[in-house]
Amino acid sequence: MGELDADHLDRTISWVHNSDLPDPTPWLEAGQLLLTDGGQFAGQTPTSPEAYCLRLRQRGVAGLGFATDVIHPEVPTELIDACRRLEIPLIEVPGTTPFIGIIRHVADAEAADRSARLSWTLESQRALARAAVRQDGLRAILRTLSSRLGTWVALFDAAGRPLSLPGIAEVPASVEPAVVERARMLLRKSTPASIRVAEPHAATLQTIGQSGRLGGVLAVGADTPLDSAHSDLVESVIALASISLEQQRAVSDARLRVRTGVIELLLAGRAEEASRSATALWGRMPTPPLLAGQVVGFTGSQSLLDELELSATAEPGILFFAEREEDLLILVAREGLAGVAELLQKHDAAAGFAELHRWEDLSRALAEAAHAAGQSSEPGVIEFSAIADRGVIGMLRNNGGPLVARRMLAPLDQLAPAHRERLLAAATAWFAANTAWDPAARTLDIHRHTLRARIDELGELLGLDLSTFDGRAQLWAAMELSSAGD
């Protein structure tokens, strides 16, 4: 039969049918094995083997079994040639082998397969039921699905972000971008739907939840479309996942409200009550010294909150977080900061952190953290101490100070360049001498009355009273921040 025989002989046979009709195709279905004694190829008007095989090929017959030593002593050569050309598997059936025996064998095999699939389905459903009542029900359900199907499983939240599923085979790197893209595409449609991702490492994706309220997407690795038993299992998982996600969302919302209450107690100076409330739910409240963090204008990524919850549960004395108004607040021990930074980067969020040595300073620490967060241009963590080390001028330089300084000094631009430089040089020497007149005048090699006149002129041009500390401080800061004062 040639090189394609092995592939063709691996076809699944749906049933076995026997007929000697010249055209049995009206009674056949695709995937069936046809048995014949070859009566149609004998007699006065024999059927053309070529035309006969062409009809079988068009019908999608899985193969042809030809009985020898009944009507024909051997398989007709013309039939062998026709089957070879049309790539139809041809099986010689000795006359001593009854067709009914072949049919019974296939029927028994099909019955055994149905029984095995039924047993597999029942056991899989029982395994899902056992997983559903565990404390980590959703993840246990997905681990069971992955184990029963022998493949990877991924779950995406309503924002299209993959949820952390420890203990479950991860999405292969080669297909991950396509799976993430298709998951987000399904969520954007906001209606229940499913889709397959093609090779390599194909997958089936199915939305979770009702139209307009999709809770996420379940992705299951599958090189071929899922059969009925596997599809039924996936549907069961989706139903359980939908319930679990809704329950988790309600529980998560309640826990978040408690977290917010704990932070409010801390800010109100009631640290003991806050600690008791947190300990009752999470085991232990982190205590100072800590780093107090703030994500300003938190957009509400459920995936980030889920992963923070996992981290906080795993390390109750290290991490605590809460939403407050429009911000996400994070309290973390120094040793846990790297893990928090990794999570924030993963979710494109930036947080400022400030040192917190006692609960009474929480409000101040959060204000410092909020300021630090405003200085960050990239996801991750920025500490207020790094900003404070640059000093007030450094802070002003990074927050529009040079623009304000140049605006303050703009009246000097109307002067002749030489005169402008004389006035600025006078101010520079004056400040260098701590605003003492005689040392500054000697530095400039001018009379102190001349220096006074230049400083008075400068103050008048800029609208500053340079006899006061406030006026002098503003001029000094403007000269430090402007390019003219560099």
Side-chain angles (χ1 to χ4, degrees):
M1 286 295 296
E3 296 180 358
L4 295 176
D5 285 5
D7 292 337
H8 288 184
L9 291 175
D10 281 340
R11 291 179 180 176
T12 299
I13 297 173
S14 60
W15 189 241
V16 182
H17 188 79
N18 69 287
S19 173
D20 286 349
L21 291 173
D23 181 13
T25 55
W27 293 272
L28 297 177
E29 295 179 358
Q32 291 184 340
L33 173 66
L34 175 63
L35 303 177
T36 182
D37 290 330
Q40 64 273 42
F41 303 114
Q44 296 181 350
T45 55
T47 300
S48 165
E50 185 75 24
Y52 181 82
C53 289
L54 180 60
R55 288 192 290 270
L56 297 186
R57 172 62 184 271
Q58 292 172 340
R59 192 61 172 172
V61 170
L64 177 64
F66 192 94
T68 55
D69 297 326
V70 178
I71 296 176
H72 299 267
E74 59 184 19
V75 181
T77 302
E78 296 84 355
L79 182 61
I80 294 174
D81 292 341
C83 286
R84 180 179 289 113
R85 283 192 297 272
L86 295 170
E87 299 181 341
I88 298 175
L90 179 61
I91 305 167
E92 182 178 350
V93 182
T96 55
T97 302
F99 285 171
I100 188 62
I102 297 174
I103 295 172
R104 183 178 294 116
H105 174 78
V106 172
D108 290 345
E110 185 174 295
D113 183 65
R114 282 199 303 269
S115 177
R117 285 189 173 277
L118 179 59
S119 297
W120 181 89
T121 299
L122 291 175
E123 176 54 34
S124 296
Q125 296 291 349
R126 283 195 290 267
L128 285 182
R130 290 193 296 269
V133 298
R134 290 184 48 172
Q135 185 175 2
D136 60 338
L138 179 57
R139 287 172 175 79
I141 288 168
L142 296 177
R143 281 196 294 269
T144 300
L145 177 64
S146 176
S147 174
R148 300 298 294 182
L149 297 185
T151 188
W152 58 265
V153 172
L155 182 63
F156 297 85
D157 66 12
R161 297 181 185 274
L163 298 181
S164 176
L165 300 175
I168 300 177
E170 296 181 351
V171 182
S174 59
V175 75
E176 184 177 13
V179 170
V180 172
E181 179 186 354
R182 298 296 179 86
R184 292 176 178 173
M185 180 191 71
L186 288 174
L187 289 168
R188 284 194 296 269
K189 293 182 178 180
S190 297
T191 56
S194 63
I195 195 172
R196 273 187 57 76
V197 175
E199 299 288 350
H201 303 295
T204 296
L205 282 73
Q206 174 69 55
T207 56
I208 298 174
Q210 301 175 353
S211 181
R213 291 186 58 195
L214 295 182
V217 172
L218 177 67
V220 180
D223 290 335
T224 58
L226 299 174
D227 62 22
S228 59
H230 290 175
S231 294
D232 288 344
L233 185 62
V234 171
E235 290 296 331
S236 296
V237 168
I238 289 173
L240 291 171
S242 297
I243 297 171
S244 180
L245 286 175
E246 287 296 327
Q247 291 176 337
Q248 284 193 7
R249 183 173 299 172
V251 172
S252 178
D253 288 346
R255 290 167 70 94
L256 281 174
R257 286 193 291 272
V258 174
R259 288 183 175 277
T260 302
V262 169
I263 288 291
E264 295 294 352
L265 286 172
L266 289 173
L267 289 169
R270 300 167 64 183
E272 186 176 344
E273 293 93 329
S275 180
R276 282 202 302 267
S277 299
T279 301
L281 277 177
W282 295 286
R284 186 156 60 95
M285 180 75 179
T287 56
L290 298 169
L291 290 167
Q294 190 158 343
V295 180
V296 179
F298 179 59
T299 56
S301 166
Q302 187 61 45
S303 181
L304 174 56
L305 294 176
D306 287 343
E307 295 194 50
L308 283 172
E309 184 72 46
L310 286 173
S311 298
T313 302
E315 301 178 299
I318 300 297
L319 173 66
F320 186 84
F321 70 96
E323 287 186 285
R324 184 173 186 257
E325 297 176 351
E326 301 298 323
D327 304 325
L328 174 64
L329 310 184
I330 301 172
L331 302 174
V332 62
R334 171 66 68 177
E335 61 266 30
L337 185 61
V340 172
E342 185 177 340
L343 280 180
L344 292 170
Q345 289 172 345
K346 177 181 176 182
H347 294 276
D348 297 323
F353 281 85
E355 293 183 354
L356 175 66
H357 295 286
R358 55 179 194 157
W359 289 126
E360 290 80 0
D361 296 330
L362 178 59
S363 181
R364 173 197 55 77
L366 290 175
E368 292 176 349
H371 175 75
Q375 307 303 304
S376 178
S377 59
E378 297 180 356
V381 164
I382 182 170
E383 293 193 47
F384 178 75
S385 58
I387 298 171
D389 288 344
R390 297 198 296 262
V392 174
I393 293 298
M395 185 272 291
L396 292 174
R397 185 171 285 116
N398 290 301
N399 287 272
L403 295 174
V404 176
R406 285 193 286 274
R407 177 68 178 271
M408 286 181 61
L409 299 177
L412 301 182
D413 295 337
Q414 307 301 318
L415 303 176
H419 186 42
R420 178 177 182 275
E421 291 305 318
R422 275 196 301 272
L423 295 181
L424 290 173
T428 300
W430 187 47
F431 285 130
N434 294 319
T435 66
W437 299 106
D438 289 338
R442 285 195 296 270
T443 299
L444 295 169
D445 197 21
I446 60 176
H447 196 276
R448 62 188 181 91
H449 292 307
T450 303
L451 175 60
R452 279 182 177 274
R454 291 179 184 178
I455 296 300
D456 288 343
E457 182 183 358
L458 187 60
E460 185 177 346
L461 286 169
L462 299 178
L464 296 173
D465 182 359
L466 296 180
S467 66
T468 65
F469 175 81
D470 178 72
R472 295 175 181 183
Q474 290 206 53
L475 176 58
W476 177 83
M479 292 175 64
E480 283 290 317
L481 292 169
S482 69
S483 58
D486 290 342

